[in-house]
Amino acid sequence: STDSDDVATGATAYSLKTGDDAALFTINSSTGAVTLTANPDDENKADYSFTVVATDGAGNSTEQAITLDITDLDDVAPTITSAATANALDENSGAGQVVYTVTSTDNGDISSGATAYSLKAGADAALFTINSSTGAVTLTANPDDETKADYNFTVVATDAAGNSTEQAITLDITDLDDVAPTITSASSAVALDENSGAGQVVYTVTSTDSDDISTGATAYSLKAGGDEALFTINNTTGAVTLTANPDYETKADYSFTVVATDAAGNSSEQAITLDITDLDEVAPIITFISIPDAPMNIGDVVTVTLTVADDGSDVYTNISGSVGGFALSNLTRTNSTTYTAQFTITNGGADVPAGADIPVSLTIDDSSANTSASYTTAISQNSDAIDATAPILSSSTPTDNGTGVLLTDNIVLNFSDSIALGTGNIVISDGTQTITIDVANHSGQLAVSGNTLTINPDVDLANNSANYNVQIAATAIDDSAGNSFAGIADSTTLDFTTTVNTSVVVFDLTDGDTSSHSGRSFDGSTTYTIYIKVATSEVGISVTNPWTGAGNLGSDDTIILVGSGVAPLGNTGVPAASKTATASAMAWSNPDLVSLNKAGNITTFRTGGSDMADLWSGSWVGTLLQGGAILTTLPSGIATSQGV
């Protein structure tokens, strides 16, 4: 203040006038400095009012009202609005996932700028990253409940004025079934005796699935490959069944792989081996008998030589019987197949003149308890070519339990002796298709050459992947001495499984529709020969179920047109004689007969009419397929049911 308007009487004193907010201040009476006694807080009091008084030495005073505004600053931290727990995360769901997003509000005070987000050091913070702008928190590693079942971290929200707030977050990892079952059964099946029968359970898979949470029952299967096609498996019990009758001579051991898969799809596998025990299954057969050619008198000791056929390893425990009514004795083995024995002309008999026929009755056992049928015949003395045994089946094509037999293959049987046809039937059957051939009236279906019989039925086998068997009447096959082959009366002694030649396809349109192998797919790794068989007379055609995979056809595949016994005829009745090809179609004509485009649309032209059908869907690719020849009939060995 100034006090120059009058005479000066002394110093001016300053004071606060009672009232308003004066009580919240103090004043220095000499300097006039006014002090706010408390900490200013805009949220509590945004402004103040007080009155200052100046008094001179004469007691004259002046006053003035004063206002003081408090500037509002951002001094309130953001409020975190997101939850204190993150959504649970499935284990093994992948690294780098956003698992939580921080959200907040900063309206508790004036806004001074954007809120920034961070992770507080400590706990599991090092395992996460955070986007400071969006608040997105990312788990850097792939979650694994077995390694770490839950996480803890703290998020921090900081406003532009530096005010911050934090919140502790928990993240649970959901334990899933991600551990495959453990197969507890052995890696080898118990060895199986040959000829012990088809349809046996040879192995049972067992497993545990206790290394993780259980999500359901374990299912069992066989892995493709090895001998898998020769077995079936019960997917619930794990019982593995060998479908055919085991035969050591055909297959001495098997290999397959079992797979255990839990309900979550985790699987483990184990390779299994199955050995077939070779048994002595061949009964001994006496194939040769020699007796000296001389008069045999009472009291003479006569030596007999026997030759025995078996598997070459047996010791014959008993050859019993009689020669000329006299019992054998002193049986001696001279090598693996030859024995000598003796009989004595006794008083109870009679002298035997030289050259006389001598009755023989013998039975022989080998060490494996195989017993031949009684051998009864009459032989001449010193005969060195006695055929006293029936022919036996020594080998066959296909072999017993053979696989991969084509539907058009012949059956070839090799016997131990030259053979001739007798009477009765040969039957080939899979239970669905049965082919019966009358041996005495076979119409060229049977051919004999020496000890070999070739069976070529008038009709092809019809069923792919089927188990066929051959049965032969006991009177059907004889050797030159009239001994009859024992025959085959069961369905397991000679059985085999069929297949088809996957590279040959026949679309047979002669009856108006394709053959029964329709609705299949071409394979890109196979080079095909495709026969299209058409009728020579008018017939409508249709394809109810076209093939697929035409995109796998190309320049390495061949299409051949086939007639029905005679060359296909054009619409003027002239046989087809030429073929043409463009980038998108091929045709056989003289004149128009058959045209085929790359989409499988086939049109046939015959006397009085035409029709169209689709052999396959899609189109062949690349260079046009080869046209092939024009045939009157299918080549030998091609079945109309062939296809992939």
Side-chain angles (χ1 to χ4, degrees), residues 45 47 54 57 118 163 230 232 300 322 430 453 466 495 509 587 597 610 625 635:
K45 191 168 180 64
D47 55 70
S118 61
N163 305 299
L230 306 178
T232 61
D300 287 350
S322 62
D430 69 341
L453 170 63
D495 63 329
L509 308 177
N597 67 22
S610 65
L625 283 73

Coordinates of all heavy atoms in Angstrom, one line a residue, residues 45 47 54 57 118 163 230 232 300 322 430 453 466 495 509 587 597 610 625 635:
K45 N -11.7 -27.7 -2.4 CA -12.1 -26.2 -2.4 C -11.4 -25.6 -3.6 O -10.2 -25.6 -3.7 CB -11.6 -25.5 -1.1 CG -12.2 -24.1 -1.0 CD -11.9 -23.6 0.5 CE -12.5 -22.2 0.6 NZ -13.9 -22.1 0.4
D47 N -11.7 -22.5 -4.8 CA -11.2 -21.1 -4.7 C -11.5 -20.5 -3.3 O -12.2 -21.1 -2.5 CB -12.0 -20.2 -5.7 CG -13.5 -20.3 -5.6 OD1 -14.0 -19.8 -4.6 OD2 -14.1 -20.9 -6.5
A54 N -5.3 -2.5 5.4 CA -4.1 -1.7 5.6 C -4.4 -0.5 6.6 O -5.3 0.3 6.3 CB -3.5 -1.2 4.3
G57 N -0.4 4.8 10.9 CA -0.1 5.0 12.3 C -1.2 5.9 13.0 O -1.3 5.9 14.2
S118 N 1.4 -51.4 -18.4 CA 2.6 -52.1 -18.2 C 2.4 -53.3 -17.3 O 1.3 -53.5 -16.7 CB 3.7 -51.2 -17.7 OG 3.3 -50.7 -16.4
N163 N 0.1 -40.8 -12.5 CA -0.7 -41.5 -11.5 C -0.9 -42.9 -12.0 O -1.3 -43.1 -13.1 CB -2.0 -40.8 -11.3 CG -1.9 -39.3 -11.0 OD1 -1.2 -39.0 -10.0 ND2 -2.4 -38.5 -11.8
L230 N -4.3 -109.4 -43.4 CA -4.6 -110.8 -43.1 C -5.2 -111.0 -41.7 O -5.4 -112.1 -41.2 CB -3.3 -111.7 -43.1 CG -2.5 -111.6 -44.5 CD1 -1.3 -112.4 -44.4 CD2 -3.4 -112.0 -45.6
T232 N -7.9 -109.1 -38.4 CA -8.9 -108.2 -38.0 C -8.7 -107.9 -36.6 O -8.0 -108.7 -35.9 CB -10.3 -108.7 -38.2 OG1 -10.5 -109.9 -37.4 CG2 -10.6 -109.1 -39.7
D300 N 12.6 -170.4 -44.4 CA 13.4 -169.3 -44.9 C 13.1 -168.0 -44.3 O 12.0 -167.6 -43.9 CB 13.1 -169.2 -46.4 CG 13.7 -170.3 -47.2 OD1 14.4 -171.1 -46.7 OD2 13.3 -170.4 -48.4
S322 N 2.0 -157.6 -42.3 CA 2.5 -159.0 -42.8 C 2.7 -158.9 -44.3 O 2.2 -158.1 -45.0 CB 1.4 -160.0 -42.5 OG 0.2 -159.8 -43.2
D430 N -16.5 -119.2 -53.0 CA -16.3 -118.3 -51.9 C -17.5 -118.2 -51.0 O -17.5 -117.3 -50.2 CB -15.8 -117.0 -52.4 CG -16.9 -116.2 -53.1 OD1 -17.9 -116.8 -53.5 OD2 -16.8 -115.0 -53.2
L453 N -2.5 -130.8 -63.3 CA -3.9 -130.5 -63.7 C -4.0 -129.0 -63.7 O -3.8 -128.3 -62.7 CB -4.8 -131.1 -62.7 CG -6.3 -130.7 -62.9 CD1 -6.8 -131.2 -64.2 CD2 -7.2 -131.3 -61.7
A466 N -12.1 -111.7 -52.0 CA -12.9 -112.8 -51.5 C -12.0 -114.0 -51.2 O -10.9 -114.2 -51.8 CB -14.0 -113.2 -52.4
D495 N -7.2 -122.9 -50.0 CA -8.0 -121.7 -50.2 C -7.0 -120.5 -50.5 O -5.9 -120.5 -50.2 CB -8.8 -121.4 -48.9 CG -8.0 -121.1 -47.7 OD1 -6.9 -121.7 -47.6 OD2 -8.4 -120.4 -46.8
L509 N -20.6 -101.7 -71.5 CA -21.8 -101.1 -71.8 C -22.7 -102.0 -72.6 O -23.7 -101.5 -73.2 CB -21.6 -99.8 -72.6 CG -20.6 -98.8 -71.9 CD1 -20.4 -97.6 -72.8 CD2 -21.1 -98.4 -70.6
A587 N -12.7 -90.4 -81.0 CA -13.9 -91.0 -81.7 C -13.4 -92.2 -82.5 O -12.3 -92.2 -83.0 CB -14.6 -90.0 -82.5
N597 N -15.6 -87.6 -74.9 CA -14.9 -86.4 -74.6 C -14.2 -86.5 -73.3 O -14.3 -87.5 -72.5 CB -15.8 -85.2 -74.6 CG -16.8 -85.1 -73.5 OD1 -16.7 -85.8 -72.5 ND2 -17.9 -84.4 -73.7
S610 N -29.4 -93.6 -80.8 CA -28.1 -93.2 -80.1 C -28.5 -92.9 -78.7 O -29.6 -92.7 -78.3 CB -27.5 -92.0 -80.8 OG -28.4 -90.9 -80.6
L625 N -5.2 -88.7 -74.1 CA -4.9 -90.1 -73.9 C -4.6 -90.8 -75.2 O -5.1 -90.5 -76.2 CB -6.0 -90.8 -73.1 CG -6.1 -90.5 -71.6 CD1 -6.6 -89.2 -71.3 CD2 -7.0 -91.6 -71.0
P635 N -9.2 -109.0 -74.5 CA -8.0 -110.0 -74.5 C -8.2 -111.1 -73.5 O -9.0 -110.9 -72.5 CB -6.8 -109.1 -74.2 CG -7.3 -107.7 -74.6 CD -8.7 -107.7 -74.3

